[in-house]
Amino acid sequence: AECLPDRQRKEVFMAEDIPTNDALFDIYFKFLCQLVALRTTGSPPEWDHVPQAAVTRLNAAYAIWYTAYIITTKAHTFLDTDAKNRAKEDGTKEIRSFLNEYIRYSSKVSIADKESVGVFGRNPPHPTPRPTTVPELDPRAGNPRQVVIRYRDKGSSRRGKPKGVHGIEIRWAFLDHEPASINELINSSFDTRSPLILTFGEEDRGKRLYMAGRWEIEREGEKGDFGDIVSAIVP
């Protein structure tokens, strides 16, 4: 994680918090995106617990922040400042969510990488075991263009996620054939409370949506195996 000079990195990251100064916030946010990009590429990636959807959300939040921020570095209006502040608030929420979800408690992220983004907590001394069960998905038509996905532990009569599980990753894709493997489900969504509602465009109505899910434990980001692939038609 050598994206910034040492002196500049220390100025930005020594405190376990996200910088409030706009210029330092921009440096921090950009550095985090660069580090995530570096660690989530490769075959296999070093951080294989981070779904691509989470990386996309983080990068999108940075793009919105930077677009609003750069305008305020020259002559600008009150509305420009307001837009920048709102983008910063939204970006801060996205950063905190990403750090807590995929970095702070993950055993796959080195202590050095954690400290480089201001996270100084060590890994839990007694990590939760990897999930051994799989989710069972129950997709149904919701409002127009919506698919409502309820989930439970396979074979359980109790709805929702099992004890010790933080949430569910659901992989999905529109296909004109039954997928031969999970690899054909190229999109990813994460949810912590059943049901997950997916909303699509008007052009997607009538398409068949294939999906499968796997549990993710509460802190380490460790994932279990995928359950059965199921499908539904977008209403």
Side-chain angles (χ1 to χ4, degrees), residues 76-163:
H76 58 280
T77 67
F78 171 79
L79 292 178
D80 292 330
T81 300
D82 185 58
K84 182 264 296 181
N85 290 340
R86 283 186 282 110
K88 186 176 183 179
E89 181 179 351
D90 291 341
T92 299
K93 290 178 181 177
E94 185 62 40
I95 290 169
R96 291 195 190 283
S97 176
F98 190 93
L99 293 180
N100 289 329
E101 199 77 51
Y102 303 110
I103 292 182
R104 187 178 302 278
Y105 301 109
S106 177
S107 59
K108 295 187 177 182
V109 179
S110 70
I111 296 300
D113 279 347
K114 289 180 181 182
E115 292 183 349
S116 75
V117 292
V119 174
F120 298 111
R122 296 299 198 245
N123 296 327
H126 301 291
T128 307
R130 179 176 180 272
T132 57
T133 60
V134 298
E136 180 179 322
L137 305 185
D138 179 20
R140 301 185 184 185
N143 294 327
R145 306 186 306 280
Q146 287 188 340
V147 174
V148 179
I149 307 173
R150 292 179 172 83
Y151 49 85
R152 67 182 74 192
D153 224 8
K154 188 172 183 179
S156 172
S157 59
R158 180 178 176 273
R159 290 184 178 180
K161 61 195 180 186
K163 184 178 180 181

Side-chain angles (χ1 to χ4, degrees), residues 35-46:
L35 179 64
V36 171
L38 184 65
R39 298 292 188 258
T40 57
T41 55
S43 186
E46 185 176 341

